[in-house]
Amino acid sequence: MAQQPPSTKGITLHQMEVFEAVARHGSYTKAAEELFLSQPTVSIQVKQLSKTIGLPLFETVGRKLFLTPAGDTLLATCRNVLAQLSTLDDALVAFQGLDRGMVRVATVESGKTALVQHLKPFMDSYPGLELSLHIGNHQELSARLQDNQDDLYLFNQPPALNGVAVFPCMDVPLHIVTHRQHPLAGRSVVTPQQLAQESWILSEAGSVSRQLLEEFFRAQSITVRCRLELSSYEAIKVSIRAGLGIAVLPAPSLSAAELATDFVILPVAEFSLRKQWHLAYPKGKHLSPGAKVFCDYLLEHL
């Protein structure tokens, strides 16, 4: 008896949403948590989808879940369909003359503070819009951008990708910061040579802040002594409070309360580093009305 050819007839939208979540997380359990379903329900939906198509969609190797070639091809289609339906929802709402819908924004950890500081005025102006904010590292955001998972992306360095519209949107000063009890905290001027003797708490290799700091010292033939490397500005601030060293931090990551009670910005001679942020989205992407309004707002106010 001849084997029946693979077919997409009978696939449901719900199955596509469940399959996409499992593929994105690489886990039935995490997909179930996101979708507020039980793990067995998610597993059954994927099995039914595989049965409908007539091909396996996942394989387990060493207790890890991987897409099969058929699953990989299906995933691209599912994401395209779900993105189109999301855009359609917002477009239909716009036709009704309603200012509502979902705007999905992704940024690196250090960008969330700047975004949150500007959200209230926007949300007060557009009370019907909902905002979904995803936080990840540069590599994760680049992958999400390529997969068209969000509407807008805020990077602290422009993504090295083809087919992406990139707009400079925020120019952030960097400060060299220490705890208020540090010996350098009371100085009226601090030289780069004095800083070279200190223990530094640096952000992860490849980060913009670290690159700019190292370039600053390299221009003066000074080597920075890294005592601790951390991937989070919050973790860096905790380490400064613990007396583990000094660090360079972007201005938006420092609150007025922290500067009044915990930290001091050192007055370093000839230090005036700034980093440029960029707003991005795939070229040719049809931004929903809400996403377009939010994009314009960010470009004007960040």
Side-chain angles (χ1 to χ4, degrees):
M1 184 175 179
Q3 186 176 6
Q4 203 165 14
S7 173
T8 57
K9 291 182 180 179
I11 293 178
T12 68
L13 179 60
H14 181 59
Q15 288 174 338
M16 295 176 71
E17 291 173 333
V18 170
F19 169 73
E20 191 280 331
V22 174
R24 175 158 38 86
H25 289 292
S27 165
Y28 289 97
T29 301
K30 291 182 179 178
E33 292 173 355
E34 177 184 305
L35 298 172
F36 300 102
L37 298 171
S38 67
Q39 193 272 342
T41 298
V42 169
S43 180
I44 290 171
Q45 289 294 315
V46 173
K47 286 180 180 178
Q48 289 178 342
L49 178 60
S50 179
K51 183 178 179 181
T52 299
I53 291 176
L55 291 168
L57 303 176
F58 292 104
E59 58 185 0
T60 303
V61 179
R63 303 183 72 177
K64 289 186 178 181
L65 203 62
F66 294 91
L67 285 166
T68 64
D72 193 49
T73 300
L74 177 62
L75 178 61
T77 299
C78 286
R79 284 178 170 167
N80 183 52
V81 170
L82 294 173
Q84 291 294 326
L85 287 174
S86 177
T87 301
L88 177 60
D89 284 342
D90 288 335
L92 293 176
V93 167
F95 290 144
Q96 293 178 325
L98 301 175
D99 289 325
R100 63 184 180 87
M102 174 70 75
V103 181
R104 294 174 175 82
V105 184
T107 183
V108 292
E109 191 272 340
S110 55
K112 66 180 180 182
T113 303
L115 275 178
V116 170
Q117 288 174 347
H118 290 84
L119 287 186
K120 190 177 187 307
F122 177 81
M123 298 185 77
D124 287 345
S125 299
Y126 299 90
L129 284 178
E130 297 178 41
L131 293 176
S132 172
L133 184 60
H134 178 87
I135 310 298
N137 59 32
H138 184 91
Q139 183 177 2
E140 181 185 356
L141 258 63
S142 295
R144 291 179 69 92
L145 192 156
Q146 288 180 297
D147 291 335
N148 193 27
Q149 292 187 38
D150 310 280
D151 296 309
L152 302 169
Y153 300 83
L154 183 63
F155 286 92
N156 56 6
Q157 61 187 87
L161 300 171
N162 294 323
V164 177
V166 180
F167 306 91
C169 66
M170 183 168 57
D171 189 32
V172 175
L174 299 177
H175 298 310
I176 294 179
V177 179
T178 188
H179 193 269
R180 300 189 74 84
Q181 304 304 318
H182 192 280
L184 293 179
R187 301 291 182 92
S188 58
V189 177
V190 177
T191 67
Q193 288 72 24
Q194 288 174 309
L195 294 178
Q197 308 305 314
E198 299 297 325
S199 295
W200 281 84
I201 306 164
L202 298 178
S203 52
E204 57 190 342
S207 67
V208 176
S209 298
R210 180 166 177 170
Q211 288 177 354
L212 291 173
L213 180 71
E214 290 175 340
E215 288 172 4
F216 170 77
F217 282 115
R218 192 157 46 242
Q220 303 180 58
S221 300
I222 294 174
T223 301
V224 176
R225 185 162 64 97
C226 178
R227 185 177 189 184
L228 188 60
E229 180 180 297
L230 297 168
S231 60
S232 160
Y233 286 142
E234 291 304 316
I236 290 175
K237 288 192 287 187
V238 169
S239 301
I240 295 174
R241 290 188 183 98
L244 295 177
I246 62 178
V248 60
L249 291 170
S253 69
L254 297 163
S255 68
E258 289 174 326
L259 291 173
T261 58
D262 294 331
F263 304 134
V264 170
I265 296 174
L266 296 181
V268 181
E270 301 179 5
F271 186 88
S272 59
L273 300 184
R274 310 178 74 89
K275 67 177 181 179
Q276 182 76 61
W277 285 75
H278 299 81
L279 198 63
Y281 57 83
K283 285 182 179 178
K285 180 180 180 66
H286 175 69
L287 291 178
S288 67
K292 181 65 169 65
V293 168
F294 191 51
C295 180
D296 292 341
Y297 174 82
L298 292 180
L299 291 175
E300 181 180 353
H301 291 89
L302 284 185

